Amino acid sequence: MLATRSSTLIAPYGSKLVDLRVPAESLAELKAHASQLPSIQISPRSVCDLELLATGAFSPLDRFMGQEDYQRVLDEMRLANGHIFPIPLTLAVEANRELHLDRDIALRNHKYELLGVMTIDEIYKWDRTEVAYKVFRTQSLSHPLVAELQSWGDLNISGRLQILNLPRHYDFQDLWLTPAQTRAKLASMAGHAERVIAFQPHRSLQYLDQEFAEYIVQAVDGIMLLHPAVGLTKLGDIDYYTRIRIYRALIEGRHLSDRFLLSLLPLATRMAGPREALWQALIRRNYGANHMIVSRHHASPGSPSESTTFYGPDDAQELVERYSQELGVMMIPEPKWHETLPGVSEGSPAVSIARPSIGAGYPTNGHTSPRWFARPEISEILAETCLPRHRQGVCIWFTGLSGAGKSTTAEMLTWLLLEHGRRVTVLDGDVVRTHLSKGLGFSKEDRDTNVRRIGFVASELVRLGGVVICAVVSPYRAARNQVRNMMGKDQFVEVFINTPLEVCEARDVKGMYAKARRGEIKGFTGIDDPYEPPDDPEITLDTVNYTPQENANFIINYLIEQGFITVRQTNKVKEQ
Ligand code: ADP
């Protein structure tokens, strides 16, 4: 009976699930071998990719791509053998003396734990511009992945993989299912396994429309695989825990709950819009789904400004539809009702668990609370975890030339924030260079490292609810955007201090411009080193016509508008 049922699930893409895990009996021997090998540490993103390669989620792909696969994927969205594959899944590394063809190398995570062994059979250069253009359709550093890939190594390596240890997941242990485990569960579910509908709830607007889900399950007469992509979730990311607890609460003990399977997908998303949607359809097929719900703007990073978007709203749906026959995964378009959020109208079936919409709109701005909000099990979870905006953290990042007025304005702003009852940390570039970044120089690489270090510390403090003011020249756009992406959505306020070079030079607070002009110091930003102004900063300040106090007040007003400071508190301070 079981055998018949499982045979009704769609076969993995390429007919067989790849499995790169070394059998138990060979583990000890390979571990001993690995301990003798040179090692490379791979990024958290590559660890996610490796996990999905190992368990067959990317079948029939069984390795990080070699050059032929990489090139055809960029040009035609296909592997060299003709299978559809829209995203270049590569392992980028820095040039390294230990890298040799036909040699084994140990792959380790950031904690230096051993993951597996690669037998290198290709080392090749890749082209950032081409990847950005072909996969992400933009060169804009506002796209989070285009910004991120600027810091990836210049070489891709490829070769046979033998996996010794998969990343361990300690939370929600029953929910991390491999493709094989997912298939086994689906196959045993109530005999509906011939129609499995994958649904990836959105990340930015995290909602699950339960009535819609129930409707689909009944209409298609199938099972819904609720499959949030949670690959790069950081430890302590409260939004993630909240989302998953809510999905679980929504499913458990409800009508048709035996037709839903919740499973966490350790996928590091690329935000590549249509290409990403197609990739997700391929991945879902390997998990046993033959339908996928695709939203408008699917896997899109959202617009850098309201006026531009990276992908057309329907591009993702159209692309998945175009390949659906060949891939064996039917596209189900998601209804458009969610576009009405945050003010979900009465009678709408929307079930929103969007923290941003709660932070921004509920209940302070008087939006109608959606019906689901009354459900005690959901309200309880949200009450435990969702802080109001004025208790959430935020990073205020000053960027501009030396002498532009970053430190001066930052200091002024600090006083005002403290007065408004917020806790504040200041990370000043000059100060940070005496400890956190001691020893770093002023090459592009060192400057970017400095910015990323400050961003890392800031993001940890923001996560704990602090206001962090960073005052750093931070001349490169990509590095600043990377820091933006380390914070939660809307928790990064980029303040461009737009003081003309002549003014900064005339101020010459530290006498550095004079030295740079005399050639006594090299690589000074604005003189013989570039400064890339932000494309779309939240705030631009003019220090020629406005005083530091006026500018700091301008930022305070912005923070009040955004809800990071409550007006009530302001009044209280004034009344006392
Ligand atoms: P940065 O931190 O950007 O290198 P600083 O704040 O250390 O710049 O130096 C800016 C200098 O410009 C200070 O000496 C400050 O007194 C002066 N200044 C003059 N007008 C302004 C203004 N409107 N805003 C900020 N700084 C100003």
Side-chain angles (χ1 to χ4, degrees), residues 266-285:
L267 174 71
T269 53
R270 265 55 172 187
M271 295 292 151
R275 276 194 184 231
E276 171 120 6
L278 184 61
W279 189 43
Q280 290 175 0
L282 180 160
I283 294 166
R284 267 40 183 264
R285 169 165 172 178

Side-chain angles (χ1 to χ4, degrees), residues 191-205:
H192 296 276
E194 61 273 21
R195 279 180 290 277
V196 177
I197 309 139
F199 182 28
Q200 170 167 322
H202 307 229
R203 219 188 141 71
S204 51
L205 259 186

Side-chain angles (χ1 to χ4, degrees), residues 401-409 507 509-510 543 546-548 551:
L401 296 171
S402 174
K406 300 180 293 298
S407 306
T408 309
T409 317
R507 289 177 184 164
V509 194
K510 298 159 208 150
T543 68
Y546 296 93
T547 65
N551 280 332

Side-chain angles (χ1 to χ4, degrees), residues 265-508:
L265 177 67
L267 174 71
T269 53
R270 265 55 172 187
M271 295 292 151
R275 276 194 184 231
E276 171 120 6
L278 184 61
W279 189 43
Q280 290 175 0
L282 180 160
I283 294 166
R284 267 40 183 264
R285 169 165 172 178
N286 287 322
Y287 280 86
N290 52 358
H291 292 69
M292 186 170 89
I293 295 173
V294 183
S295 60
R296 299 185 89 220
H297 296 290
H298 198 99
S300 159
S303 49
S305 68
E306 296 307 331
S307 55
T308 51
T309 44
F310 295 112
Y311 315 108
D314 302 320
D315 290 6
Q317 293 180 345
E318 283 167 17
L319 192 73
V320 178
E321 177 79 46
R322 198 177 327 142
Y323 285 87
S324 65
Q325 286 300 334
E326 183 182 346
L327 194 58
V329 180
M330 301 303 116
M331 197 278 292
I332 301 180
E334 190 177 13
K336 298 176 184 173
W337 48 260
H338 66 276
E339 288 176 1
T340 61
L341 281 172
V344 187
S345 66
E346 253 295 286
S348 140
V351 175
S352 163
I353 57 166
R355 185 162 174 218
S357 75
I358 293 160
Y362 179 84
T364 44
N365 294 359
H367 287 133
T368 347
S369 53
R371 252 187 301 157
W372 59 271
F373 215 93
R375 285 186 193 159
E377 69 270 33
I378 310 297
S379 313
E380 258 171 47
I381 295 173
L382 286 171
E384 276 167 34
T385 50
C386 286
L387 294 175
R389 251 292 167 75
H390 67 274
R391 288 178 56 204
Q392 288 176 25
V394 60
C395 174
I396 300 157
W397 187 281
F398 288 96
T399 172
L401 296 171
S402 174
K406 300 180 293 298
S407 306
T408 309
T409 317
E411 193 182 332
M412 210 58 74
L413 179 65
T414 307
W415 299 125
L416 295 181
L417 281 165
L418 289 167
E419 182 188 323
H420 284 85
R422 299 257 13 192
R423 294 177 186 202
V424 189
T425 305
V426 180
L427 298 173
D428 188 289
D430 291 336
V431 182
V432 166
R433 278 185 177 275
T434 64
H435 44 77
L436 181 68
S437 290
K438 194 168 178 185
L440 289 182
F442 291 87
S443 63
K444 176 172 189 309
E445 204 185 5
D446 278 7
R447 285 176 187 272
D448 284 350
T449 304
N450 181 40
V451 165
R452 278 196 294 269
R453 277 188 197 170
I454 296 172
F456 170 75
V457 175
S459 71
E460 290 295 308
L461 293 166
V462 164
R463 203 163 53 72
L464 292 177
V467 180
V468 186
I469 301 177
C470 303
V472 200
V473 175
S474 47
Y476 297 106
R477 207 174 282 140
R480 289 193 306 264
N481 286 348
Q482 268 183 290
V483 172
R484 175 186 289 275
N485 294 323
M486 292 177 192
M487 314 285 165
K489 194 172 165 347
D490 303 329
Q491 289 183 307
F492 187 77
V493 178
E494 191 170 18
V495 181
F496 174 35
I497 311 246
N498 191 9
T499 309
L501 176 64
E502 317 80 76
V503 177
C504 297
E505 199 169 351
R507 289 177 184 164
D508 207 6

